[in-house]
Amino acid sequence: MTTTTGTRDFLLPDLGEGLSEAEIVEWRVAVGDVVTVDQSVVEVETAKAVVDVPCPYAGRVVALHGAAGEVRPVGQPLITIAPLDGEAEGDPHATYREEERAGSGNVLIGYGTGHGGSGRRRRPRLALAPEPAAGASAGPGGPGTTVPPTAADPTRGGATATVGGPASMTGSGPLAAASTGGAGRPVQDRSAGAPLVISPIVRRLAKERGVDLASLTGTGPGGVIRRADVEAALAAPLAAVPDAPAAHVGLAPAADGDVVIPLTGIRKAIADKLSRSRREIPEVTIWVDVDATGLLATRAAINAATPDAPVSILALLARICLSGLRKYPQLNAHVDTEGQRIVQSAGVHLGIAAQTDRGLVVPVLRDAQRLTTRELAAALAETTAAARAGTLPPARLTGGTFTLNNYGVFGVDGSTPIINHPEAALLGVGRIVDKPWVVDGQLAVRKVTQLSLTFDHRVCDGGVAGGFLRHVADCVEQPALLVANV
């Protein structure tokens, strides 16, 4: 971007992949330094990588916009360059950079001046046509000379461009593919074939979103189609079709005999919540088979000692989960997308997935870490019974921070359940069945189950999730380990 004083502001370019900002790591230059075209001037860090950013201008550095550690948005000034004394203002390399950046605001793709020997082909650009001098005549090699057809990219519809001269501006013949508009800028003629697009990012965006570039009017210099033009086309409301019958796009109408069930009530609430979870949470599922023989023996011993207050397997699994969350609190959390932060909850509000006649519900035991194992067992029995009866108030069905799902009651071994939004993790337990298992080097028949953990990859990486699942598995196989963590 050239200012009225002759200096040029280099804007932070679009680094691709939808990134909108970058943090300045280290400046490679200082105010007063002389830089050349494509010289690296700053190292920045994005959400994906640390990269060196080259400057498309040559001259003297007069301003650095931002200090190390500062976050700069894409499209804002990064560095200001002034021409050296006696330097011509019409630098052809700078002109090329202006044209290249016009496609999407700024791009970091295709930098390089083309004066080396790489041999890579560049898409030809339309040249600016100077105003013809009075009385000038066209002649060989003079004004009005056309660019040979071989210089144009055949994939762009065979358009040709001129390098000046009144004969090329008549609009009759192939040279009408490019003409000059106001201020001597090239204006695209739709009859030329391909639309005027310079940036590969703009082409890719249009292709991915199904936007016809030929239908757009570019707002960039010379009618160049910019990213903003594509996004504006995506945001524009579709024209209403009069008398169009109401129908679901892509779905065949219900046939005779089909059962149509309105998506309402609790079914709609379930659909909305699970859809939001799958849409927003980058979930990962890991699993492990465990020998639950020791856990069953521990439960039998507890219930034999106090038959009036039995403890369920689900209560023991809940106690193990609470122990694991104490060791790995990263999973007892949620992501605040508006505040751009992760919130780890002080208490564990344990959700228990329960299947009812009305659908799936997840009642919550608040501050479950404060309950003893017997209290957990009693609270679980009371809560699940009330959930199936439909007597739980809405406040008891929200606010969970971690969910335990025993899908083994359906006779299945494993699952990849959807996280209960906005929670960050869910432990699933399959059925406990007799399976061959190696114990002390000998094959034996043991009570085996599968544990699966689905977690939000935004709150932690595989090390934390794997550590939590391994801790749970170890406590299931050796319940005595649980005593050391209670």
Side-chain angles (χ1 to χ4, degrees), residues 110-475:
Y111 276 74
T113 62
H115 51 275
S118 66
R120 294 178 60 186
R121 296 179 59 191
R122 248 192 208 102
R123 183 182 303 114
R125 60 188 183 276
L126 300 180
L128 300 181
E131 295 293 336
S137 61
T145 303
T146 64
V147 178
T150 55
D153 188 341
T155 64
R156 298 291 172 238
T160 59
T162 69
V163 293
S168 64
M169 301 302 157
T170 62
S172 59
L175 298 185
S179 62
T180 58
R185 296 181 303 176
V187 178
Q188 181 184 10
D189 185 344
R190 298 300 179 191
S191 64
L196 185 56
V197 183
I198 294 175
S199 169
I201 292 180
V202 174
R203 291 187 180 277
R204 183 180 64 189
L205 177 63
K207 181 179 179 181
E208 291 176 349
R209 301 298 181 86
V211 175
D212 182 10
L213 291 172
S215 66
L216 303 182
T217 300
T219 60
V224 170
I225 296 175
R226 304 171 62 245
R227 170 184 286 182
D229 300 326
V230 177
E231 292 175 342
L234 291 171
L238 296 177
V241 179
D243 301 325
H248 298 288
V249 177
L251 295 179
D256 293 340
D258 289 350
V259 177
V260 178
I261 303 173
L263 199 58
T264 59
I266 190 171
R267 194 73 253 162
K268 185 178 186 301
I270 294 172
D272 291 344
K273 187 152 191 167
L274 296 182
S275 296
R276 182 179 182 185
S277 176
R278 183 54 61 87
R279 184 171 59 249
E280 294 184 7
I281 298 178
E283 61 190 29
V284 180
T285 299
I286 57 178
W287 57 88
V288 64
D289 290 338
V290 296
D291 178 4
T293 305
L295 186 68
L296 293 176
T298 299
R299 178 203 177 211
I302 293 174
N303 291 344
T306 55
D308 56 328
V311 171
S312 64
I313 288 293
L314 188 63
L316 294 178
L317 290 170
R319 171 57 60 201
I320 293 172
C321 285
L322 294 170
S323 172
L325 292 173
R326 181 180 180 183
K327 188 174 182 180
Y328 298 97
Q330 298 93 326
L331 295 172
N332 189 49
H334 70 273
V335 175
D336 178 4
T337 53
E338 292 186 1
Q340 289 296 295
R341 58 183 182 171
I342 297 172
V343 180
Q344 292 184 8
S345 300
V348 180
H349 307 315
L350 185 64
I352 304 296
Q355 187 67 45
T356 71
D357 294 338
R358 300 171 60 239
L360 176 67
V361 295
V362 185
V364 176
L365 302 183
R366 298 192 177 278
D367 293 314
Q369 79 281 358
R370 298 180 180 178
L371 303 178
T372 66
T373 302
R374 293 193 186 281
E375 290 171 340
L376 269 176
L380 285 170
E382 179 271 329
T383 300
T384 54
R388 293 189 177 98
T391 59
L392 282 179
R396 293 281 303 276
L397 297 171
T398 59
T401 60
F402 184 91
T403 294
L404 176 60
N405 185 1
N406 179 21
Y407 44 74
V409 296
F410 304 117
V412 298
D413 296 321
S415 172
T416 56
I418 300 175
I419 294 174
N420 185 28
H421 184 279
E423 297 172 15
L426 180 154
L427 181 76
V429 185
R431 60 176 180 164
I432 301 177
V433 295
D434 290 340
K435 286 187 177 181
W437 197 264
V438 177
V439 180
D440 298 329
Q442 301 294 321
L443 192 62
V445 176
R446 307 287 284 185
K447 301 292 185 180
V448 178
T449 187
Q450 184 182 93
L451 305 176
S452 65
L453 176 71
T454 300
F455 67 97
D456 185 340
H457 216 320
R458 296 174 298 177
V459 303
C460 70
D461 296 323
V464 169
F468 173 86
L469 186 58
R470 190 64 256 171
H471 174 83
V472 172
D474 290 344
C475 289

Side-chain angles (χ1 to χ4, degrees), residues 97-109:
R97 297 304 179 276
E98 292 287 355
E99 293 176 353
E100 185 179 64
R101 292 203 321 277
S104 62
N106 301 287
V107 296
L108 195 62
I109 298 174

